[in-house]
Amino acid sequence: MCAHVLVAEDDEMQAELIRRSLLAEGHTATVVHDGRAALDAARRFAPDLVVLDLMLPVIDGFGVCRVLRADDDIPVLMLTARSTEDDILLGLELGADDYMTKPYSPRELMARIRTVLRRSGRVPADRREDPVVHAAGLSVDPVRHEVRCDSAPVECTPAEFEILLAMVGEAERVFSRRQLLEITRGTDRASTERAVDVHIMNLRKKIEADPRRPARLLTVFGVGYKLSGGR
C-alpha cells in the first residue's frame, strides 16, 4: 500500500531515517521540522497519513493534531519521547490514530504505518477501484475490513485480519514469526512470537476444512508460515 506520508519531526536525523524507511517501503514522503510547517504541508499536499512528533517547535504536536482534526480526517501517528499516560491519553483524545514512544524500531514504525493506513481505508489511486486481495480461496477487503473464505464470511480479530491481509497479498511467501509479530503490533501491543502461533492456530480453525491438516495456512518448519494455494 503506497501512500504519501507527511513526517513532522524536529530531529533532522530521525526525520531522515523515517523518510528513508518510507521510501524503502514504496511510499513518498514530505518532511518538515516545526508545527506551522506541518499544518502548511498538510493543507498543501493532503497526505494520506501524518507521522507527528509531539515536541515540535513553533506549534507543538498537540496543537497540530487539534487543527488537523478540525480541518480533516487525515490519520495521525504520534511519536513521543514522553511516555507518561497523560500525554498519550491527551494525544488520543485529540484524535491521533496510534502512538509510538521513543526510542522505537524503524521496522515497527513501518508496521504501525501500514496498520493505520489500512484501518483508515486510505488506499492508493491504482487500488481504489478494487482494493480486495485474493488468494487460496480467500478474499480480504482492507476498506470494509471483511474476510471471506470460499465466499463465506469469516469473523477475525484485528490481529488475525492483519496477518491474513499480509499473507493473502503475498501468497506463497514465507513469513517468519518476527515478521508477523511486527504486522500485528499495531493491533496487539502485548503480542509475542508465541502469540503469533496462537493467531495462526485460531485462523486455521476458521479457514481450514481440517485445522489439524491445514491445506492453506502452512507451517514452514524452522522458518515460519505461508499461505499456499495460489491466487
Side-chain angles (χ1 to χ4, degrees):
M1 179 179 291
C2 299
H4 181 192
V5 179
L6 172 60
V7 179
E9 166 64 77
D10 66 327
D11 184 321
E12 295 189 10
M13 292 183 63
Q14 284 290 321
E16 178 62 13
L17 178 60
I18 296 170
R19 187 189 71 84
R20 291 183 182 181
S21 297
L22 287 165
L23 295 181
E25 291 270 319
H27 302 300
T28 57
T30 297
V31 176
V32 297
H33 303 298
D34 68 68
R36 188 174 301 282
L39 292 174
D40 290 344
R43 290 167 180 149
R44 179 179 179 186
F45 298 113
D48 297 301
L49 180 142
V50 179
V51 176
L52 179 64
D53 181 24
L54 289 183
M55 302 299 290
L56 291 174
V58 186
I59 303 174
D60 68 15
F62 294 117
V64 172
C65 190
R66 186 179 292 108
V67 174
L68 288 177
R69 276 293 169 262
D71 289 350
D72 200 352
D73 62 349
I74 300 172
V76 175
L77 193 158
M78 300 187 315
L79 302 178
T80 175
R82 304 186 306 187
S83 59
T84 65
E85 185 178 20
D86 287 345
D87 286 339
I88 292 168
L89 290 177
L90 177 57
L92 295 175
E93 287 170 2
L94 289 172
D97 296 87
D98 201 357
Y99 70 89
M100 291 190 68
T101 56
K102 299 179 181 181
Y104 54 82
S105 158
R107 294 174 64 189
E108 183 180 354
L109 176 60
M110 293 304 107
R112 294 285 190 90
I113 286 172
R114 288 194 295 270
T115 297
V116 172
L117 286 170
R118 287 167 183 160
R119 286 175 173 174
S120 71
R122 295 201 173 213
V123 294
D126 61 356
R127 289 184 57 187
R128 281 176 187 155
E129 291 186 2
D130 184 16
V132 183
V133 289
H134 306 269
L138 299 167
S139 63
V140 182
D141 187 333
V143 175
R144 295 179 178 84
H145 214 272
E146 295 176 348
V147 176
R148 291 185 174 272
C149 179
D150 297 329
S151 299
V154 177
E155 294 294 328
C156 292
T157 67
E160 291 167 0
F161 182 88
E162 294 300 332
I163 288 173
L164 277 186
L165 182 58
M167 298 184 85
V168 170
E170 297 187 71
E172 304 296 340
R173 172 187 168 183
V174 179
F175 289 82
S176 69
R177 288 177 176 82
R178 173 58 56 179
Q179 288 168 329
L180 293 175
L181 177 61
E182 291 180 356
I183 287 168
T184 63
R185 273 277 168 80
T187 60
D188 185 2
R189 294 188 183 90
S191 189
T192 64
E193 290 191 32
R194 174 56 184 149
V196 169
D197 295 333
V198 175
H199 293 320
I200 294 294
M201 179 183 68
N202 290 335
L203 279 170
R204 283 173 172 163
K205 293 176 182 177
K206 298 175 181 182
I207 68 173
E208 299 284 1
D210 183 353
R212 295 171 298 178
R213 297 178 177 81
R216 289 185 170 103
L217 197 46
L218 306 181
T219 300
V220 180
F221 292 101
V223 183
Y225 300 99
K226 74 172 182 177
L227 185 71
S228 186
R231 296 190 179 278

